[in-house]
Amino acid sequence: MFQAPKGTYDVLPRDAERRGILKSHVQRIFGGAGYRRIETPAFESTELFARGVGASTDIVQKEMYSFDDGGGRSMTLRPEGTAPICRAYIEHGMHKLPLPVKFWYLGSFFRAEQPQKGRYRQFWQVGAEAIGAAAPETDAEIIVLLAELLDAMGVKGTRLRLASLGTPETRVEYRDELTGYLHAHESELSDEVRARIDLNPMRAFDSSDRGTQAVMANAPKLLDRLAPDDAEHFDQVKRLLDVAGIRYELDPALVRGLDYYTRTLFEFSSDALGAQSGVGGGGRYDRLIEQLGGQPTPGIGFAAGIERILLAGAEQPIAPDPVDLLVVVADREDRTAAVAGFELAREARQAGLAAQLELTGRSLKSALKHADRINARYVAIVNDQKSATLKEMDSGEQHDLKATGVIATILRGSRLA
Ligand code: HAM
């Protein structure tokens, strides 16, 4: 027997409902703020991600599905959407459009990770990007809209962590300072942290070791080292979030696995999720478009995992699809009656009714049971080419009609006078 590949899953019709609801919230919330849908290809040149996401990131080093396209070019199933959208922005000369250019997207992405609850190899993201605006209001807008989306989906127990990374230059200087500080306190650190001082000094902030935590309480913080205009930008983002009533925690050690970030960085998590608690996050990427060969252009965006939104979100009451009419042909051996039934269902749909034709050859009795199960309002039993019996399921009333009168009778109202 075949099974879905490890780390992948099927979206069955019953699961598709909540995804549809999510999409309509995205359209309403982001569409209402001037974001328009964009979709980029499922694969791109490997070089785009190496340059965009960063050659030394886990994503690029370990998690990409890369393959030769048959012509000697290396392609990669997209692990994320920001680099592709910036590629599309440059390719289509969108800097000529009124700025900022605002996009939302919803699609599947691929990372070769160890699967667990909330972590898949093919997963879905909803995201948005605002390109061409540096104003802190843009940052706050993105965060507010994402908060609204999570709220609309009933995502429980959310927590927003916020930081600013400043510029890459500030970061290099800060990293040197932090590394020096850690070396000066080596004897008080856990073995694990000590071994990684030069490799990844930021990890020390996440340590659960008491001694390390004591050292880190007095460690220099990047937020205190920001250049004045970066610090001012961040202050305004915080002020706007305060005014919007969005609660956040400043996290000096917030790290996200992508290299393109500058300035604002944020992540929503939910304690309704297990180990994979990150629901969605993002940040500013003011150097990315230039790195990909475009004009210097600021940008900010987010992506959220749809599986995680659905796991942490509220069950929503899902109304079954309405069925106005089930057409049953009394004697399917009668070819002309079968044609009349087929036509009746088709014409009913053209008239705007949700109409289905009984397709399995059930007996009349079990067709009526089936009509009950699918909640059909009416059943039309096609007796022959010309005549039908229309039964209203709620009242049980039934009438013999000309086949041509069935649709008009249903449209006229529910009572079969
Ligand atoms: P990311 O944090 O790598 O950011 O992914 C965003 C979200 O996608 C995560 O918070 C998580 O919910 C979900 N996600 C990531 N990997 C998996 C997985 N293997 N299985 C299930 N869900 C997953 C980005 O992708 C950036 N492009 C976000 C961004 C947009 N930054 C600026 N603009």
Side-chain angles (χ1 to χ4, degrees):
M1 283 297 280
F2 292 110
Q3 289 185 331
K6 183 173 171 184
T8 70
Y9 60 89
D10 301 305
V11 180
L12 300 177
R14 61 163 191 263
D15 311 318
E17 292 279 350
R18 285 177 79 208
R19 290 169 175 253
I21 294 171
L22 171 68
K23 187 172 151 210
S24 62
H25 285 310
V26 175
Q27 258 158 344
R28 176 177 56 77
I29 295 169
F30 286 88
Y35 291 73
R36 297 173 62 214
R37 185 165 188 175
I38 185 169
E39 286 304 336
T40 59
F43 60 90
E44 299 264 358
S45 83
T46 300
E47 182 58 23
L48 173 68
F49 299 112
R51 250 210 271 165
V53 173
S56 64
T57 58
D58 276 359
I59 293 181
V60 171
Q61 293 264 308
K62 304 185 209 156
E63 298 171 0
M64 298 210 296
Y65 286 103
S66 300
F67 56 96
D68 186 303
D69 73 350
R73 288 164 296 257
S74 177
M75 296 287 151
T76 293
L77 295 182
R78 57 180 186 177
E80 64 101 47
T82 309
I85 288 172
C86 290
R87 192 264 310 138
Y89 175 89
I90 299 167
E91 183 174 336
H92 300 283
M94 291 195 241
H95 61 281
K96 293 190 207 112
L97 298 174
L99 299 182
V101 183
K102 305 203 261 188
F103 306 107
W104 65 266
Y105 55 98
L106 190 160
S108 57
F109 294 82
F110 308 84
R111 294 183 193 175
E113 296 195 78
Q114 209 39 51
Q116 62 179 86
K117 190 180 171 206
R119 190 162 78 192
Y120 307 94
R121 292 183 170 175
Q122 177 176 1
F123 57 98
W124 289 68
Q125 281 186 346
V126 54
E129 313 287 348
I131 299 182
E137 288 72 17
T138 332
D139 308 42
E141 175 178 284
I142 281 274
I143 295 173
V144 165
L145 294 174
L146 173 55
E148 256 178 67
L149 176 65
L150 297 179
D151 194 46
M153 290 303 293
V155 176
K156 292 170 288 271
T158 54
R159 184 175 149 207
L160 168 62
R161 284 178 300 147
L162 189 67
S164 174
L165 293 179
T167 62
E169 294 76 28
T170 307
R171 250 167 14 240
V172 169
E173 269 174 41
Y174 168 73
R175 194 190 155 107
D176 286 348
E177 185 186 355
L178 179 63
T179 310
Y181 175 84
L182 291 173
H183 278 304
H185 291 83
E186 264 185 47
S187 61
E188 301 152 65
L189 301 173
S190 74
D191 294 346
E192 202 189 333
V193 169
R194 196 180 317 120
R196 297 180 62 93
I197 292 180
D198 295 301
L199 220 54
N200 193 349
M202 292 298 279
R203 275 276 165 86
F205 281 105
D206 295 330
S207 172
S208 52
D209 172 68
R210 279 280 187 82
T212 306
Q213 285 177 348
V215 173
M216 296 322 286
N218 296 314
K221 308 283 181 328
L222 177 58
L223 280 179
D224 301 323
R225 297 289 183 273
L226 297 180
D229 55 338
D230 292 334
E232 205 176 297
H233 188 278
F234 191 50
D235 281 343
Q236 180 69 352
V237 174
K238 287 186 288 181
R239 199 171 299 130
L240 295 163
L241 292 177
D242 290 337
V243 170
I246 305 266
R247 268 206 288 256
Y248 54 84
E249 299 156 39
L250 294 183
D251 185 346
L254 182 58
V255 277
R256 299 183 28 74
L258 304 120
D259 274 356
Y260 46 62
Y261 292 120
T262 53
R263 291 189 159 181
T264 312
L265 192 70
F266 61 92
E267 188 160 288
F268 282 91
S269 55
S270 163
D271 42 81
L273 295 168
Q276 300 302 313
S277 65
V279 182
R284 198 163 256 297
Y285 44 87
D286 292 346
R287 307 270 177 106
L288 179 57
I289 293 193
E290 198 178 349
Q291 261 164 35
L292 297 178
Q295 298 297 316
T297 310
I300 178 155
F302 83 89
I306 291 184
E307 296 80 11
R308 296 185 193 178
I309 291 180
L310 297 179
L311 277 169
E315 280 298 333
Q316 324 228 352
I318 289 161
D321 288 330
V323 181
D324 298 312
L325 174 65
L326 178 69
V327 178
V328 183
V329 177
D331 174 12
R332 293 212 316 165
E333 297 299 306
D334 179 346
R335 290 292 159 110
T336 52
V339 170
F342 181 85
E343 281 298 284
L344 175 56
R346 192 174 68 84
E347 283 165 14
R349 286 191 296 268
Q350 279 175 348
L353 297 172
Q356 298 182 18
L357 180 64
E358 207 301 302
L359 294 169
T360 62
R362 290 182 173 87
S363 68
L364 195 53
K365 192 169 150 207
S366 69
L368 287 169
K369 256 197 217 141
H370 176 64
D372 241 354
R373 232 179 358 239
I374 63 172
N375 250 316
R377 284 168 58 216
Y378 293 94
V379 175
I381 302 152
V382 176
N383 301 313
D384 53 42
Q385 197 182 353
K386 297 247 161 63
S387 71
T389 305
L390 186 61
K391 176 170 172 139
E392 189 188 32
M393 296 301 287
D394 253 4
S395 62
E397 271 183 52
Q398 61 181 58
H399 271 259
D400 291 331
L401 301 170
K402 279 194 187 148
T404 49
V406 169
I407 295 169
T409 306
I410 295 176
L411 288 175
R412 214 176 299 127
S414 51
R415 303 290 322 156
L416 289 177

